[in-house]
Amino acid sequence: MQSFLKKARQSQWYGVGLLLVISVVIWAVFKIGAPATFGAPDKLLSYMQTALIYAIGGCGLYFICVMGLFDFSIGSMLIAAELSTIALIPQAGWVAVIVVPILVGVVLGLCNGIAYIKMHIPSIIVTTGLSLIYESFSVYIADVNGTRLDNAFKLFGAYPWNLIVALIAFGLCYFILNYTKIGTYTNAIGANELVAKNMGVNVDKYKAIAFTLCGTFVGIMSILYLGYGTAQTPQTGMLSQALNFQPLMGTFFGLAFKKYGHPVVSILIGEYIVAMIFAGFVALGMPTTVNNIVTGATLLAIVTLTTKRRNGAVVK
């Protein structure tokens, strides 16, 4: 038995299997606690619908976080992309729904990368400051055509189109991480930035690319987010920071199970676990504060049990 477990832990699918077991356990716990309101097949599909949205953002954040960086502006980028879509629909139609949010994400992500490289200050400070600027832009954008998506353009808020977009995004992330220099070099920089630089890797260039990719995936995320929610109001005073939380949760799962070689799958399953926990506490009638406490504790436990501490690690 011990030899079987040892061999299983060495498998590249061990992490995915462990996450699936955790998912089943969480489902069973909440199903027992709230059998009438939690965990039916249609509700499981609705949990997946939420997980798909945030997992796309989690994939974008992965390029940043794997290098030890953070992007705290994704909530404001998400809002700016959605409101830009709504603003341009009268002129561009479906092009505004599909192309505009991605372009907004690319541009804002590139701005984040350039600002981080040029300012030489921690990414948390840079992206938090830029978040305030993006929030202000969103207020002006909202005045162009309101804050509500027309019913004719809600296609990507439900199956099967949300699933199709999500699978394309996951496939793109997987391809970049496994078959391009970007994926190789971002992992190398995250493992040891000094060694990567000594090997000839242009560290600043690939950090800027990582921020741009993060913005790109946030733009794709906004397509589903707007279709699902159908409206978005501008946020000011750093209120958009609340939208950073759930994509970041999935990214943490991807980082925690990175050593097994399937970060994209881990991000998706991690987001599904978070979605089930949120829905489970709602079904039990628990207040939001309890929900957040247990969710945070679950995440910390999983990350602690599956990652090795690195001496001298710093936030960059």
Side-chain angles (χ1 to χ4, degrees):
M1 185 63 179
Q2 288 183 345
S3 61
F4 172 78
L5 291 175
K6 183 178 180 180
K7 185 178 294 186
R9 291 192 185 97
Q10 294 173 347
S11 169
Q12 62 173 336
W13 292 103
Y14 175 78
V16 173
L18 180 59
L19 282 174
L20 289 174
V21 170
I22 292 172
S23 301
V24 172
V25 170
I26 290 174
W27 173 84
V29 169
F30 284 115
K31 187 64 176 175
I32 293 171
T37 55
F38 177 84
D42 60 327
K43 293 187 181 298
L44 291 177
L45 285 175
S46 70
Y47 308 155
M48 178 57 73
Q49 193 169 20
T50 303
L52 289 173
I53 296 172
Y54 291 115
I56 295 173
C59 286
L61 273 172
Y62 184 85
F63 291 99
I64 303 295
C65 294
V66 77
M67 294 192 292
L69 306 172
F70 285 93
D71 190 339
F72 277 14
S73 68
I74 65 166
S76 60
M77 287 197 293
L78 177 69
I79 293 172
E82 292 180 76
L83 291 175
S84 297
T85 296
I86 295 172
L88 293 174
I89 279 179
Q91 293 78 28
W94 281 104
V95 174
V97 176
I98 300 171
V99 179
V100 168
I102 298 175
L103 289 178
V104 171
V106 170
V107 171
L108 297 184
L110 180 59
C111 289
N112 287 353
I114 293 174
Y116 170 70
I117 297 304
K118 296 298 183 182
M119 291 182 178
H120 303 287
I121 57 178
S123 57
I124 292 177
I125 299 174
V126 173
T127 54
T128 300
L130 288 172
S131 176
L132 293 170
I133 297 173
Y134 301 155
E135 285 181 344
S136 300
F137 286 158
S138 296
V139 174
Y140 293 106
I141 298 170
D143 291 334
V144 176
N145 193 39
T147 60
R148 182 166 294 278
L149 181 69
D150 189 276
N151 290 333
F153 297 97
K154 296 179 180 179
L155 182 67
F156 295 105
Y159 296 113
W161 289 103
N162 59 344
L163 180 61
I164 292 171
V165 172
L167 289 176
I168 292 172
F170 298 149
L172 177 62
C173 183
Y174 177 83
F175 176 80
I176 293 172
L177 287 173
N178 291 278
Y179 298 103
T180 69
K181 288 183 179 179
I182 297 171
T184 302
Y185 289 162
T186 51
N187 281 312
I189 294 168
N192 194 312
E193 182 175 325
L194 182 60
V195 171
K197 185 176 292 185
N198 289 337
M199 291 177 62
V201 176
N202 189 335
V203 173
D204 286 348
K205 172 185 174 181
Y206 284 96
K207 285 182 178 180
I209 290 173
F211 276 105
T212 305
L213 284 173
C214 181
T216 302
F217 280 90
V218 170
I220 299 172
M221 172 186 170
S222 72
I223 297 174
L224 303 192
Y225 197 96
L226 182 59
Y228 183 73
T230 71
Q232 181 58 264
T233 56
Q235 304 287 333
T236 58
M238 295 182 66
L239 291 177
S240 65
Q241 297 289 322
L243 295 173
N244 297 343
F245 176 69
Q246 280 192 257
L248 190 59
M249 291 281 282
T251 302
F252 285 161
F253 276 94
L255 292 172
F257 290 86
K258 172 179 175 288
K259 62 183 178 181
Y260 298 108
H262 299 284
V264 177
V265 179
S266 299
I267 289 169
L268 177 58
I269 299 175
E271 291 290 2
Y272 193 69
I273 290 173
V274 173
M276 279 201 299
I277 293 174
F278 283 163
F281 279 105
V282 170
L284 292 174
M286 294 289 185
T288 305
T289 50
V290 175
N291 190 336
N292 291 339
I293 291 171
V294 176
T295 303
T298 302
L299 174 66
L300 290 173
I302 292 173
V303 173
T304 300
L305 291 172
T306 55
T307 56
K308 294 180 180 180
R309 297 180 60 184
R310 291 190 305 164
N311 294 329
V314 296
V315 176
K316 294 180 278 186

